[in-house]
Amino acid sequence: MKKPLCLLLLALSACTVNPGYHVEEYQEVKFEDLADDIKVPTKAWELMELKSPEEAQVSATKNLIFSEVNVFLVQKNSGIVEGEAVKIVLPKGGGTIDLSRFITTQKGSFYVGFEFPAFETATAKKVIFVSGTRKRKIGHQVFGAGCNQFFDITERFFKEMKGEGLKVNTTQERYLSVLGGTFLFAAQKDNDVRLAQVTFKNAQYSPLFCEVQ
């Protein structure tokens, strides 16, 4: 095989071998129960309502509507995700996912993706992450943001979702320090703000979390 052709085939392979969470088939799991109440810092909710400084001053009212959200868990390494590729369909408002149901104890990586249909027609979008895990040191690195810390991750979120999704690793439960907590979604169109949340926990590793599960 000539070298240029070989390089071309390798390049094509690199584009298709790791599609991240964008795969053709998923094992679908549907959650029927409505989401439990969660504790979210007030300032995080204020960000979610997409209020401008002017609106905040006049206490402008928007219609807050709970909407559906889906979550995808797709293994990169064999044996990491129960079912290999899972689509979790959450009810309006979202819900809590116990990752011990879907992620094994084997060492390796998997991808996490989100689908919030309300984003498709929204004129304003926001994604906030509220950390629910304690900071911990693994080697020379600190993992986890700490309890009740929150961040506007909108820009990074859309960048990652256009690509392979969030890639996380199960070694020493690193993925829990990345995902453990609550993802808040808000999509505004006209005077309606559609909201949903996804909270990740793992009942097998309660000490890593801020509150006992």
Side-chain angles (χ1 to χ4, degrees):
M1 181 183 293
K2 294 182 179 181
K3 189 173 182 180
L5 178 57
C6 180
L7 291 175
L8 175 61
L9 291 176
L10 286 174
L12 291 174
S13 176
C15 293
T16 57
V17 169
N18 294 317
Y21 81 95
H22 304 281
V23 298
E24 293 184 0
E25 295 184 1
Y26 301 93
Q27 176 182 317
E28 187 171 300
V29 178
K30 190 170 184 178
F31 284 25
E32 301 287 353
D33 295 335
L34 295 177
D36 295 330
D37 291 336
I38 58 172
K39 296 180 181 179
V40 175
T42 302
K43 289 184 178 180
W45 276 120
E46 290 175 356
L47 287 175
M48 292 296 292
E49 292 182 27
L50 302 170
K51 288 183 179 180
S52 66
E54 294 77 14
E55 289 175 323
Q57 289 178 1
V58 298
S59 300
T61 302
K62 291 186 172 71
N63 301 316
L64 304 182
I65 304 167
F66 289 127
S67 295
E68 296 85 355
V69 60
N70 301 319
V71 177
F72 303 88
L73 305 174
V74 178
Q75 65 185 21
K76 173 177 171 58
N77 302 113
S78 180
I80 300 300
V81 176
E82 297 284 1
E84 299 185 10
V86 178
K87 176 181 180 180
I88 302 172
V89 180
L90 296 171
K92 291 183 178 179
T96 298
I97 297 173
D98 184 349
L99 290 170
S100 66
R101 290 182 53 186
F102 304 99
I103 307 303
T104 71
T105 56
Q106 294 193 45
K107 295 179 181 180
S109 298
F110 66 98
Y111 301 100
V112 182
F114 299 88
E115 181 182 57
F116 187 47
F119 279 152
E120 294 179 8
T121 57
T123 55
K125 308 170 185 178
K126 188 74 72 174
V127 183
I128 306 293
F129 177 67
V130 182
S131 173
T133 57
R134 308 175 191 277
K135 287 186 178 181
R136 61 188 177 118
K137 195 170 184 180
I138 302 176
H140 298 291
Q141 288 185 288
V142 176
F143 287 79
C147 299
N148 296 317
Q149 300 298 309
F150 63 92
F151 310 89
D152 184 338
I153 62 169
T154 307
E155 186 175 342
R156 181 191 171 190
F157 174 85
F158 284 105
K159 180 180 178 181
E160 298 290 354
M161 292 307 110
K162 286 180 181 178
E164 62 187 15
L166 299 176
K167 180 183 174 183
V168 291
N169 192 275
T170 62
T171 304
Q172 294 183 286
E173 293 72 53
R174 285 175 168 82
Y175 72 101
L176 293 178
S177 295
V178 177
L179 301 175
T182 300
F183 290 80
L184 300 169
F185 304 91
Q188 180 177 339
K189 183 178 181 182
D190 299 324
N191 206 42
D192 294 337
V193 178
R194 298 187 179 277
L195 303 170
Q197 61 87 11
V198 176
T199 298
F200 290 111
K201 295 186 176 182
N202 189 313
Q204 295 180 339
Y205 300 101
S206 292
L208 299 181
F209 289 81
C210 299
E211 296 182 3
V212 178
Q213 300 177 44

